[in-house]
Amino acid sequence: MKSKLTAVALAAVVVAGTAAAAVPASAATVKAAPARCHTADLKAGFATGDDAKPEMGQTTKQTQAFIWFTNQSKHTCTLYGFAGVDMIGAQPTDGTWSLARSAAKPEKLTLEPGATTDFSITLLPVAASTPQNEKFVPSKFVVTPPNETEHFTLKWPFGGQILKQDGATHPATYLNPVGL
């Protein structure tokens, strides 16, 4: 009886081994997930179309500016999270303002070669008559893609002033995750 069980068990191992060996190599190969997008893979800029321009002339509500990333590489890559954004002011008293992040949850994006995504910056414009110490006049934006250290420097093309809240806990000017 013992040798019969051993023979059955041995036959099962042989059959299982044969079945595993019969799987085609292409089916056993797992396609690697795309790597994250590096700064060198991307180009960036402000969306400047009529429907994308922030309403910097109004001073009663928030408005949005959009920055886009385009995958200029020859491979698919992913973006996840928030870009780093530092605004550099035009006035000597402005300095640099590192924008706070919204509470929105990021989603992982896959960018094929040539594909574009963007993110928004919510802004609170103020009137030109606002006291100088209460307004920030944007000049340049230093934009770092998520999980990167290299950045792009973009000239602010829209004019206007923003309510200066660079020390606020919950400022009315902040950025949203890439893709949202």
Side-chain angles (χ1 to χ4, degrees):
M1 181 75 173
K2 195 175 201 183
S3 64
K4 202 176 207 185
L5 286 175
T6 304
V8 170
L10 183 58
V13 168
V14 170
V15 169
T18 305
V23 174
S26 61
T29 304
V30 176
K31 188 174 180 181
R36 71 178 165 85
C37 299
H38 296 284
T39 304
D41 296 328
L42 303 169
K43 55 184 176 177
F46 280 102
T48 57
D50 287 335
D51 60 341
K53 289 181 185 176
E55 298 176 60
M56 296 304 292
Q58 62 80 31
T59 58
T60 59
K61 62 181 180 174
Q62 291 172 306
T63 187
Q64 290 187 318
F66 294 87
I67 295 176
W68 50 262
F69 291 124
T70 298
N71 180 358
Q72 66 178 359
S73 75
K74 293 185 169 131
H75 62 273
T76 299
C77 61
T78 63
L79 284 173
Y80 175 77
F82 290 83
V85 177
D86 293 331
M87 293 190 305
I88 299 171
Q91 304 176 120
T93 57
D94 287 339
T96 300
W97 179 355
S98 296
L99 295 183
R101 298 174 174 182
S102 73
K105 294 207 181 263
E107 295 177 10
K108 190 172 189 176
L109 302 170
T110 301
L111 289 180
E112 299 288 331
T116 299
T117 190
D118 64 11
F119 66 94
S120 63
I121 300 173
T122 301
L123 308 161
L124 182 58
V126 295
S129 61
T130 301
Q132 183 174 345
N133 66 338
E134 294 178 21
K135 66 182 175 183
F136 186 95
V137 181
S139 173
K140 295 178 185 171
F141 280 56
V142 177
V143 179
T144 308
N147 304 307
E148 285 293 296
T149 56
E150 299 295 319
H151 63 268
F152 300 98
T153 300
L154 307 175
K155 187 174 189 261
W156 176 250
F158 305 114
Q161 297 84 209
I162 300 167
L163 181 62
K164 190 170 188 173
Q165 296 180 311
D166 53 342
T169 305
H170 298 288
T173 296
Y174 55 87
L175 58 106
N176 293 298
V178 173
L180 296 183

